[in-house]
Amino acid sequence: RPFCCSSAMVSPSAALRASQWVSLGFSTGMLYFPTKMMEAYKAETFEGDAATLFTFALGIFGLQLFLSSMMAAAMARDAVPKHVQSLSCFCQGLGWLFFALNDGALYARGLWPHAMPPESLQVNLGIFVALAAICFSGWAEGGYEVPDMGVLPEGRPALPLVVACANLLFFGVGCAFFTEAFVDLFLPGVLQSLPAPTTSARGFFSTKEVPAGPLEGAPPLLLLIFANAGKCILVNIASLLSIASVGDETVAYRLLRVVSLANVFYLGMFSREGVLAVATGWPSPMRLSTFVQCFGTTYYCCASFAGMPFTLLQEGRKAK
């Protein structure tokens, strides 16, 4: 085989399991222990409203890593065709490589946030590159499967899966490419009300004094988390559609089930955000429209997969 011998290859399922557990580890820290996670990175922590918003941002990022972890777990099952597992490895590997290049490029250009020490970034880059190598090895072992460009999901799960991706696309594009404006759309005035930078970088945020533009200086860590969350959303969308392009109806069903569970998880987070809005007094003009959009998408996806007379049989046996 190219680049390495067969004995050194990692099986697709093993590579997916590795990606699954690492993504789950990152998402667990972001969702449930954000402050402790930042302390482990030796990053500057936040106080007051800045800490609240930072935790909110990490939760969004953590949810997307959780979705990525569930995708890897679903595709690692023995009943999933090997060529589908191969492409899943390719997608996971590209995701890890993308963030290694994304964060590494920021550091190389002097745009890495001052609140996160370079040593912590280097650890992350090492993890990302190692996971990318493992996933690409699984991709090679599975036969170098690539997406069938232009092919949409097939079968009964196709439409709800596409609807779920369209719902994610709105948030992904907004967070990734219009970060500050998008956050301000949902929480008007909140960014501007946070403390200006201090010498200790506690409460390190100011949209005016610390420019967020990529050519104007290092973005605040808070904006970087929102932007990377959006990029993770876009990576997940690309992965979902790519995997579905080479799979049959059973594969599309597995993906729809994963997306539906992630959406249900988000509705729980959305409820928590209501408590946050009351406690902080932050304006939430988009709350009703976001609820209608996300609840409607979640209900449609869950009703679709739950209402299908579809059975995934035991591992190793063909699903009907």
Side-chain angles (χ1 to χ4, degrees):
R1 292 177 185 266
F3 308 114
C4 57
C5 62
S6 178
S7 60
M9 291 286 188
V10 178
S11 70
S13 60
L16 289 171
R17 292 295 185 192
S19 187
Q20 168 200 342
W21 287 110
V22 175
S23 292
L24 183 61
F26 278 116
S27 68
T28 298
M30 292 179 179
L31 286 165
Y32 304 112
F33 310 101
T35 301
K36 292 297 182 182
M37 185 177 185
M38 290 300 101
E39 290 175 354
Y41 274 112
K42 302 186 185 305
E44 294 287 352
T45 54
F46 296 79
E47 294 179 337
D49 281 357
T52 302
L53 189 58
F54 186 70
T55 301
F56 172 83
L58 274 181
I60 295 174
F61 198 174
L63 173 61
Q64 294 309 311
L65 287 171
F66 186 44
L67 173 56
S68 179
S69 176
M70 288 195 291
M71 270 196 286
M75 295 299 105
R77 304 295 293 268
D78 292 339
V80 175
K82 193 170 184 179
H83 75 282
V84 176
Q85 291 185 333
S86 173
L87 179 55
S88 299
C89 288
F90 179 67
C91 293
Q92 292 281 328
L94 282 182
W96 291 113
L97 182 60
F98 170 79
F99 279 104
L101 295 175
N102 177 76
D103 293 355
L106 286 175
Y107 179 73
R109 296 166 59 197
L111 300 176
W112 186 249
H114 307 298
M116 177 74 78
E119 296 78 10
S120 298
L121 170 64
Q122 292 163 8
V123 171
N124 266 9
L125 294 183
I127 294 173
F128 297 169
V129 171
L131 262 295
I134 291 172
C135 289
F136 286 140
S137 179
W139 172 53
E141 178 65 17
Y144 297 101
E145 187 72 21
V146 295
D148 193 348
M149 302 302 293
V151 175
L152 292 175
E154 66 175 48
R156 293 166 290 174
L159 183 57
L161 186 58
V162 170
V163 169
C165 289
N167 177 59
L168 285 172
L169 185 64
F170 169 72
F171 298 103
V173 171
C175 285
F177 299 109
F178 309 98
T179 311
E180 187 172 344
F182 196 69
V183 175
D184 202 53
L185 176 66
F186 285 84
L187 298 170
V190 173
L191 293 179
Q192 292 79 5
S193 71
L194 299 182
T198 64
T199 54
S200 67
R202 297 187 68 83
F204 188 69
F205 193 88
S206 172
T207 56
K208 295 181 180 179
E209 296 183 34
V210 181
L215 301 180
E216 301 178 61
L221 181 58
L222 184 57
L223 280 186
L224 177 68
I225 296 299
F226 274 117
N228 277 1
K231 293 169 186 176
C232 193
I233 292 173
L234 297 178
V235 168
N236 282 341
I237 294 172
S239 298
L240 285 164
L241 296 178
S242 295
I243 295 168
S245 74
V246 301
D248 57 11
E249 187 180 53
T250 302
V251 170
Y253 179 83
R254 291 179 185 274
L255 293 173
L256 175 59
R257 189 170 61 170
V258 164
V259 171
S260 298
L261 293 175
N263 284 346
V264 170
F265 188 96
Y266 172 68
L267 287 182
M269 293 177 60
F270 188 79
S271 176
R272 178 203 63 175
E273 292 163 12
V275 177
L276 183 150
V278 172
T280 59
W282 291 346
S284 303
M286 297 291 288
R287 183 163 180 80
L288 178 59
S289 62
T290 302
F291 172 77
V292 172
Q293 176 183 337
C294 293
F295 181 83
T297 299
T298 301
Y299 184 87
Y300 175 57
C301 290
C302 290
S304 297
F305 96 78
M308 292 178 190
F310 205 102
T311 302
L312 295 176
L313 301 181
Q314 296 178 359
E315 300 298 293
R317 295 174 60 185
K318 187 177 181 180
K320 295 181 179 180

